[in-house]
Amino acid sequence: MLLSGRGSNFQAIAEARLPIEIVAVISNRPQAAGLDYARARDLPAFAFDHTEHPDREAFDALLAEEVERHRPDLVLLAGYMRILSPAFITRFEGRLMNIHPSLLPMFPGLNTHERALAEGVKIHGCTVHFVTANLDHGPIVIQAAVPVRADDTPGALSARVLAQEHCIYPQAVRWFAEGRLEINHGRVNLRGDSTSQSVLSTGM
Ligand code: GRF
């Protein structure tokens, strides 16, 4: 689990009674609240301060070694707020997942809620995807949509989306743990899915 801040997605996964073991929680920011939560639950928590390694490639090489040391089957980005170098992504491709607060491919990058409001979209949401070198564009595992209300603020919209993030990220991890995710030509197939479970919509 790689994170940089609050760690609410990490908490949702940790509390979802999934058939997984969280082998390490690593933050590039030593003050991340997610690390405190991990320690409170006796999960292995590590701060790996990027400001001590100004060279991104060098930092990511060390980070990759640290991650490998724990032998994870899956590496989760849960609010990890640093762009990963291509070498890191290649090394973990196919077992590196991210959650992004928009309905990709709309609104990659930052400030997604502000941008959704500025565009006047009527539906917004979140996406769990495998990470590729193309920022916020990897194969999509699951998405959840929420309505955008006429009087929405970025904060209100963000809270509505975040509640859905906490549903879909644990679900995606469960599917991975059950061996049900298959990446084929850039698309994710969910084995044994006849009902298109990989879309959630709420309050529509
Ligand atoms: C979430 O909105 C997630 O989609 C984005 O960063 C935020 C992290 O929040 N990648 P948290 O640290 O999980 O609470």
Side-chain angles (χ1 to χ4, degrees):
M1 183 81 59
L2 297 183
L3 50 78
S4 301
R6 161 181 75 175
S8 70
N9 277 287
F10 155 49
Q11 290 186 38
I13 290 165
E15 291 169 9
R17 297 174 183 273
L18 300 174
I20 61 166
E21 179 192 356
I22 297 174
V23 291
V25 180
I26 302 172
S27 173
N28 63 313
R29 294 198 180 122
Q31 308 309 327
L35 287 179
D36 298 333
Y37 175 84
R39 292 186 188 111
R41 285 185 64 111
D42 283 333
L43 292 171
F46 306 91
F48 219 66
D49 190 348
H50 70 270
T51 61
E52 293 173 5
H53 306 271
D55 178 312
R56 183 185 305 276
E57 274 67 34
F59 175 76
D60 277 9
L62 290 171
L63 180 66
E65 290 303 318
E66 174 69 8
V67 170
E68 289 282 23
R69 190 168 74 78
H70 302 284
R71 304 190 154 278
D73 297 311
L74 179 63
V75 179
L76 297 172
L77 306 181
Y80 184 71
M81 300 306 286
R82 249 175 93 78
I83 291 177
L84 289 164
S85 59
F88 186 99
I89 292 170
T90 304
R91 186 159 174 176
F92 294 101
E93 198 153 348
R95 52 187 181 125
L96 184 58
M97 254 186 209
N98 182 41
I99 182 136
H100 182 77
S102 80
L103 290 172
L104 291 174
M106 279 190 293
F107 310 124
L110 297 174
N111 304 319
T112 56
H113 310 304
E114 288 83 350
R115 287 158 61 205
L117 289 175
E119 291 291 345
V121 297
K122 305 305 179 202
I123 296 171
H124 187 42
C126 47
T127 303
V128 177
H129 65 99
F130 284 101
V131 176
T132 60
N134 194 355
L135 181 69
D136 294 332
H137 274 91
I140 292 172
V141 178
I142 182 169
Q143 295 184 300
V146 302
V148 179
R149 306 209 168 110
D151 58 351
D152 258 340
T153 60
L157 185 54
S158 149
R160 196 173 310 124
V161 170
L162 190 65
Q164 295 309 307
E165 294 184 28
H166 297 163
C167 297
I168 65 170
Y169 213 179
Q171 178 63 264
V173 174
R174 181 183 296 279
W175 285 335
F176 185 94
E178 293 171 347
R180 293 184 61 193
L181 299 180
E182 182 182 61
I183 305 174
N184 198 349
H185 298 295
R187 296 172 59 138
V188 176
N189 296 325
L190 177 61
R191 291 199 185 94
D193 176 37
S194 55
T195 55
S196 200
Q197 295 177 58
S198 37
V199 179
L200 293 183
S201 60
T202 60
M204 309 296 270

